[in-house]
Amino acid sequence: KIKKVDPEAKLPSYAHAGDAGLDLFALEEVKIEPGAIGQVRSGVAMEIPDGYVGLCWDKSGLSHKFGLKVLGGVIDAGFRGELVLSLINLGRAPYTFAKHDKVMQMLIQLVEPVIIEEVVALSDTARGHGGWGSTGK
């Protein structure tokens, strides 16, 4: 379920049949300077079903061509406020979203809850504590 919190909002939509991500759109023009974090109003709120989560991801073209990276991309099922889309501009030039431009995409995915159990030790694995490139190039 989607609610427009602003009548000028464009509803999220799939660009093609079979796409995984729903495109989320800018409500208004927003300019993000290089190195800056920007917030883009979507003008919409969603009702994500219990047991699911909305995961926000980069649009590949915006990420690859302009260095725009999505921040804070977890939308929980209980959230009912406007989706305000947060990005950082890692590129070298300012980027301006025009009204109704695609900003990012959201995947609605099933959540598998886990039970947290505190233990004194964890099981051994072949990898162990290896991280930060420990598996090689």
Side-chain angles (χ1 to χ4, degrees), residues 8-137:
E8 297 292 315
K10 183 172 180 178
L11 293 178
S13 63
Y14 294 103
H16 303 284
D19 281 356
L22 278 165
D23 288 323
L24 302 177
F25 301 93
L27 175 64
E28 54 208 3
E29 185 176 291
V30 175
K31 182 178 183 179
I32 306 175
E33 297 290 340
I37 294 172
Q39 293 184 330
V40 182
R41 289 186 59 209
S42 70
V44 298
M46 317 181 80
E47 186 175 323
I48 297 172
D50 286 338
Y52 290 81
V53 64
L55 299 177
C56 296
W57 291 91
D58 304 333
K59 294 293 296 173
S60 60
L62 294 175
S63 176
H64 178 75
K65 295 176 187 175
F66 304 104
L68 296 172
K69 181 72 182 153
V70 170
L71 300 173
V74 175
I75 311 298
D76 290 310
F79 179 67
R80 293 295 185 269
E82 178 182 0
L83 298 179
V84 179
L85 316 174
S86 183
L87 303 101
I88 187 168
N89 183 348
L90 300 174
R92 295 189 178 113
Y95 188 88
T96 301
F97 287 100
K99 181 178 180 175
H100 294 163
D101 276 357
K102 294 177 183 180
V103 178
M104 63 181 64
Q105 56 188 328
M106 178 188 285
L107 279 68
I108 306 295
Q109 294 186 312
L110 188 63
V111 173
E112 186 66 40
V114 296
I115 297 170
I116 303 300
E117 177 185 355
E118 183 179 8
V119 296
V120 175
L122 301 174
S123 62
D124 289 328
T125 66
R127 183 174 184 167
H129 293 280
W132 297 102
S134 66
T135 60
K137 290 186 176 185

